[in-house]
Amino acid sequence: MNTAPASSAPAGEPRWLTDEEQRVWRAYVDATTLLEDHLDRQLQRDAGMPHVYYGLLVKLAEAPRRRLRMTELAKDAKITRSRLSHAVARLEKNGWVRREDCPSDKRGQFAVLTDEGMEVLRRHAPGHVNAVRQAVFDRLTPEQQKSLGEIMGIVAEGLQPSEAGADLPWLR
């Protein structure tokens, strides 16, 4: 809804999106919704897992000794601890991840990528990279790719306040 330009909104009134901002916003929502669906379907079809699970395996594969504390993995994946716990339980059931107790913190746990999980990544990474490349990078010029990265970095940074008590997924 656009009733007035953002610059002329009376004090206390919503700063409605301009027509151009509304166009950009809707294009963003459409693109991210369709992209996530596209990647999720590709990974479900080829690897039998949702995109978020694949992302967890990648984060673990990139970590030293293929292990991360569960709290760190939730933060890296930008998901709630509850969602992470459920996902890791499913990945454990498949034999792709195992949990280990943290020796320095009785309440802490590590998620560890197993050799079988690493093999799943090796087998399915080429198809996933191809899906990402076709959906995003092959459609953009190098300049557009750079701009997209900069823009998304700015948006992500603004949504991750560093002050105590911030309402972030991995803190819930």
Side-chain angles (χ1 to χ4, degrees):
M1 176 179 207
N2 182 6
T3 59
S7 60
S8 65
E13 288 292 313
R15 290 180 45 214
W16 298 110
L17 299 179
T18 65
D19 289 343
E20 180 60 13
E21 290 168 334
Q22 190 69 254
R23 185 195 66 74
V24 169
W25 174 246
R26 289 181 181 177
Y28 167 82
V29 170
D30 289 350
T32 56
T33 301
L34 289 167
L35 179 60
E36 187 60 31
D37 179 70
H38 173 73
L39 297 176
D40 209 50
R41 283 183 299 112
Q42 179 269 319
L43 284 163
Q44 286 285 7
R45 180 187 67 238
D46 296 349
M49 75 176 97
H51 188 220
V52 70
Y53 290 15
Y54 181 87
L56 294 173
L57 296 180
V58 168
K59 298 280 185 203
L60 290 171
E62 294 172 343
R65 298 176 44 215
R66 299 189 325 209
R67 59 189 273 144
L68 284 171
R69 286 192 61 135
M70 292 284 283
T71 52
E72 191 65 26
L73 184 55
K75 182 179 179 181
D76 287 353
K78 311 289 187 261
I79 60 175
T80 64
R81 291 176 290 189
S82 172
R83 186 172 184 196
L84 175 66
S85 184
H86 177 73
V88 169
R90 295 289 304 270
L91 293 169
E92 278 182 302
K93 187 176 178 182
N94 290 341
W96 300 342
V97 170
R98 72 174 181 274
R99 291 183 214 219
E100 292 179 356
D101 291 331
C102 178
S104 63
D105 178 2
K106 299 258 188 240
R107 295 182 309 168
Q109 284 191 318
F110 287 97
V112 181
L113 182 65
T114 64
D115 290 342
E116 187 178 345
M118 191 68 186
E119 182 54 35
V120 166
L121 273 180
R122 281 190 192 105
R123 200 168 49 245
H124 296 291
H128 180 63
V129 169
N130 188 52
V132 170
R133 183 165 297 290
Q134 287 179 344
V136 179
F137 295 99
D138 290 351
R139 298 171 186 272
L140 302 176
T141 67
E143 295 79 21
Q144 290 170 323
Q145 292 174 22
K146 182 179 179 192
S147 294
L148 180 63
E150 290 170 353
I151 291 164
M152 292 295 97
I154 291 167
V155 171
E157 184 179 315
L159 292 171
Q160 298 180 83
S162 58
E163 67 266 3
D167 185 21
L168 298 167
W170 54 92
L171 299 176
R172 289 185 226 135

